[in-house]
Amino acid sequence: MRPSFHAQLVNGRTGDAALYVDHRYERRALLFDLGDIHALPSRKLLRVSHVFVSHAHIDHFIGFDQLLRASLRRDVEVRFFGPPGLIARIEAKLGGYTWNLVDRFTTNLRLAVSEIDANGAARRARFQLRHAFAREDFEARPRGDGVILETGLFHVSAAVLDHRTPCLGFAVAEPVHVNVWRNRLDELGLAVGPWLHPLKQAVVEGKPDDTPIEVLRRVEDGARTDIAALGELREALRVTPGQKIAYVTDVVFTEANARKIETLARGADTLFIEACFAAEDEALAAERAHLTTRQAGTLAARAGARRVEPFHFSPRYEGQEARLLEEVEAAFHEGARTAPVTPPAASGDDT
Ligand SMILES: [Zn+2]
């Protein structure tokens, strides 16, 4: 089955952080971080429905104005997720412009912002063009299981990581895909029909085998409804895992961060992870609260990711991309073969 998500590093492996994740079948896209996004054409910006901001360092957030400019005439709600403080930052950015002519617009762009803390949600607010982007506050709805968004088509989890400021890591995952084998359905004496939808839903939700399902059983003169247990119907189904993409950037290499990244990115098809510094510059990476290539590869291996895509290479390594990639890959394959490498115990201001 063709994967639903197509992910693209907007500025390649160097430059500002921004990952554009297009949903092929839904005419919408997710944006992880908002660094310089000039490389994105407006037709792509106009698909953005959700924006996930890891933290507000300028190379992760300066693209906000460009997204706003491109989206101004959209009649949609764009949702933003980020660490505590994001609402005030967006309010400040919107407050930098004059909005006296917004009553001439026939559209109403809404920006809905959720701040995510260790409990799952801290605050929510909305800014509507119709109201000159005046801030409206709402009560937060913490879930506590790390899931910050659930759409039915995919869900997004977040982890609060340490970059000497809270920095969010994200993972977007689809539920399992459930397809029906028509011939096996025939063999079971069942007819196709709308009843297959709740059956598929029960599998997606991980319901137990004894869950009763209303089925359509073929009889001589047509079909009649009947009840069957979910377990009896499984042989007519093909279940394939959904796609999972994880995004981790700007983190210091501590065991606390490593454990959270491991949980967040567990089994990801692709882990996009920063690797700012070369392996030999470990001390510098620690000082700047970033990862080295080796650490990024190790973390990807610990998470059991199928593929690792490093990015955010420091400009100091210009022309050495191949070498940095090799360092990541070497640590990734080594880590996947051997026991996990443990980062040094957290100390001082790293925690
Ligand atoms: Zn940063």
Side-chain angles (χ1 to χ4, degrees), residues 55 57 59-60 163 250 290:
H55 64 306
H57 280 160
D59 53 336
H60 296 255
H163 176 48
D250 291 40
H290 276 288

Side-chain angles (χ1 to χ4, degrees), residues 289-302:
H290 276 288
L291 298 175
T292 66
T293 49
R294 165 163 283 279
Q295 292 164 346
T298 300
L299 289 171
R302 277 182 65 167

